[in-house]
Amino acid sequence: DTMEEGRLWKFGKPAWLNSVWARNAGVYGAGALFSLAFYVLIDAAVWSHSPLNMSDVHVTFIDWLPFIFSSLGMLIINSVEKARLSADSFSYSGSGVAWKARVVLFLGFAALAGGMAGGVVVFVLKFAVHQVAWPMMGMGVENIVANGLVGLSSVVLWVSQNMEDEYSYNLAL
Amino acid sequence: MPNAGLKTIIALSFVLAVGFLLVILSCALYKEYYPLLVVATYVLAPLPNWICGRWANPDDFVESSGNAVLDLGRFCTGFLVVMGIALPVLLAHSNIIEVPAMIMCIVGGLLIYGTIISFGMSFQEEQEF
């Protein structure tokens, strides 16, 4: 078909990558990764208030703030209709939808990246600088891991939503 | 399995009973009843897919919003399934439940969820018509 002639790389996409099965598995996987991120952070919070935590370092609202931001960014990114991104190049679309989509997407990516950076900030300022001992240090590491997993989850969700071949998808539905 | 019969029903209910046995044992042996949450999680897990499948209009071939609703349901299902495994691990990590209780709880939860899923798959044909 026409897409095959215009490709750049020697190795084409394997056929299963475009299937409905791979797409749905990607969406389930994104949900699983997000759940993992959420429960890694809950784990830090529960562990912080259990008797195992012998220090006076505790998980507070500050530790949740980066996760809130990266989740918000993920929500924004995946709520935008990707087809509208290139809408201005078509003649039938008016009113600058593509421009709006780009602004909203930028805000979403900024929130996601800000959340991931915030996780590192919390780790450095609250744990690394004060040289917290190891089992307690785990709470800071879990913060970084959680925000990284949110980023990974939104990448998986984005990729699997973009791989859809809409015609075959609708037929298989 | 389109013609799932009596044997399937008996086997599935047996597996479901073993799953519940494991989860309740993991609670009662250690007098700590948090693992029961796992049962609620796995019972709730197929619900988002079911609700979003009804919500999305299957006759709608033009708009892609139906796909987005279905994706939301899949996302929530993935979330709940991992929650069922993550919750006992979390409780064991904070020493709220014992490690054997965690293992029994995870295995029991997976048996319960597997029963629900295979029941849905076995009797899909009969349900739709």
Side-chain angles (χ1 to χ4, degrees), chain B residues 31-56:
Chain B
K31 304 269 190 297
E32 194 66 67
Y33 286 86
Y34 284 114
L36 274 184
L37 282 173
V38 170
V39 176
T41 305
Y42 280 126
V43 169
L44 284 179
L47 270 186
N49 258 350
W50 184 69
I51 291 171
C52 293
R54 293 294 160 110
W55 184 8

Side-chain angles (χ1 to χ4, degrees), chain A residues 23-24 27-28 30-36 38-39 42-43 46-47 50-52 74 81 142 153 157 161 164 166 169-171 173, chain B residues 49 58 60-65 67-68 70-80 82-83 86-87 89-91 93-96:
Chain A
R23 187 183 176 284
N24 291 350
V27 177
Y28 281 119
L33 283 172
F34 186 78
S35 173
L36 211 56
F38 186 64
Y39 284 99
I42 295 260
D43 180 64
V46 172
W47 193 89
S50 75
L52 291 172
M74 183 181 174
E81 182 72 72
E142 278 179 315
S153 166
L157 193 56
Q161 281 190 328
E164 71 180 308
E166 272 192 32
Y169 182 69
N170 277 333
L171 282 186
L173 204 70
Chain B
N49 258 350
D60 203 348
F61 279 85
V62 184
E63 284 293 319
S64 59
S65 61
N67 291 353
L70 287 175
D71 279 351
L72 180 68
R74 293 195 187 99
F75 187 87
C76 293
T77 301
F79 186 93
L80 286 172
V82 172
M83 178 181 169
L87 216 53
V89 174
L90 185 159
L91 291 171
H93 181 220
S94 295
N95 241 352
I96 297 174

Side-chain angles (χ1 to χ4, degrees), chain A residues 87-166:
Chain A
D88 276 354
S89 58
F90 296 107
S91 53
Y92 54 77
S93 71
S95 70
V97 186
W99 183 79
K100 286 176 200 159
R102 278 172 206 142
V103 170
V104 172
L105 262 187
F106 176 75
L107 290 178
F109 277 114
L112 183 61
M116 288 166 85
V120 178
V121 166
V122 166
F123 172 71
V124 169
L125 289 186
K126 204 171 159 179
F127 295 90
V129 167
H130 297 293
Q131 289 178 330
V132 177
W134 230 109
M136 284 58 108
M137 191 75 128
M139 293 186 285
V141 175
E142 278 179 315
N143 206 326
I144 296 182
V145 169
N147 285 296
L149 281 172
V150 172
L152 194 64
S153 166
S154 42
V155 166
V156 170
L157 193 56
W158 175 279
V159 167
S160 53
Q161 281 190 328
N162 278 8
M163 73 163 69
E164 71 180 308
D165 183 5
E166 272 192 32

